[in-house]
Amino acid sequence: EQLYAQALAQGTNRCATDIAHLAHTLHHTFQHTIHDECPLVLVSLVRAGLPVGVLLQRALADANSSYALSSVHYGVSIIRDRGLDSVALQMILEAYPNSPIVFVDGWTGKGAIYQELAHSLEAFSDPNHPYFASIYHQGKGTIPLLTLADPAGVAWLAASTDDWLIPSGLLNSTVSGLISRSLYTEPQSGLHRSVFYDNLVEA
């Protein structure tokens, strides 16, 4: 907790500025196609993407800002060697069939999760797929991944390529909605699972 407090003291202004810059870019990119009936869909990759997605959603919801944009936010499990929760993604696509999706993560590290995401989205890469435009709205082959930090150089949109200490990267579940790392479930059995850490609510 002390390390988190130190990282927060050092990184608060940078984090806030980076979020504002990302929100401004999203506003500029989607302002002519997004409206209340067709919001931008932010899909945070559980777990590191959740705190970033929450901050970004709050920024876009600020009606007094110059970058306000109609949006909704979800967290979806992604597991190495298992991929994105396909059941969850299908539910989102069906709920917002005409909305563009932007995937949100904290950082790219070595790019492993990006590769996992790209592999999971291959099924939608055919321009004739009914949800192609929802995912490949930046062009065929462009995965719309947004991050605060992109040291791997693979994100579609990132605040920087610096490998800096993002405060939310330190405390895991306590800043990720109090949920555990996601637990894989076969698609035919439903959504991926997680554990809720109610003993950490006070923290």
Side-chain angles (χ1 to χ4, degrees):
E1 289 178 347
Q2 182 181 0
L3 289 173
Y4 173 73
Q6 291 173 359
L8 194 62
Q10 294 169 359
T12 293
N13 289 341
R14 176 171 188 171
C15 190
T17 301
D18 284 357
I19 289 290
H21 287 162
L22 291 169
H24 176 82
T25 303
L26 290 176
H27 174 87
H28 178 75
T29 303
F30 296 105
Q31 61 180 323
H32 299 300
T33 57
I34 291 299
H35 48 82
D36 289 345
E37 288 74 36
C38 181
L40 178 66
V41 180
L42 303 175
V43 174
S44 287
L45 303 181
V46 173
R47 288 181 312 181
L50 279 174
V52 177
V54 167
L55 292 176
L56 197 55
Q57 169 76 351
R58 288 180 179 177
L60 294 174
D62 183 358
N64 297 318
S65 73
S66 61
Y67 42 70
L69 191 69
S70 180
S71 63
V72 293
H73 177 226
Y74 293 88
V76 172
S77 164
I78 188 167
I79 299 175
R80 289 189 186 187
D81 301 322
R82 298 292 187 179
L84 195 70
D85 186 335
S86 58
V87 176
L89 180 59
Q90 187 65 29
M91 290 171 66
I92 292 170
L93 288 167
E94 290 174 0
Y96 302 94
N98 300 312
S99 291
I101 289 178
V102 171
F103 296 93
V104 180
D105 208 354
W107 55 90
T108 56
K110 296 178 181 178
I113 291 298
Y114 169 82
Q115 295 297 333
E116 200 68 57
L117 179 62
H119 179 69
S120 295
L121 298 177
E122 284 178 359
F124 302 93
S125 63
D126 182 346
N128 294 318
H129 194 287
Y131 294 122
F132 173 83
S134 297
I135 294 173
Y136 292 97
H137 46 82
Q138 298 305 306
K140 182 174 171 61
T142 301
I143 305 297
L145 175 65
L146 175 154
T147 64
L148 272 187
D150 183 27
V154 297
W156 161 66
L157 178 62
S160 78
T161 57
D162 297 341
D163 190 7
W164 66 286
L165 181 57
I166 298 170
S168 60
L170 281 171
L171 284 186
N172 293 323
S173 62
T174 46
V175 288
S176 296
L178 299 183
I179 61 172
S180 69
R181 293 185 180 278
S182 46
L183 308 173
Y184 180 72
T185 303
E186 291 285 352
Q188 62 268 26
S189 299
L191 298 162
H192 288 189
R193 311 300 173 88
S194 62
V195 176
F196 182 73
Y197 292 132
D198 53 2
N199 59 306
L200 297 175
V201 169
E202 290 185 4

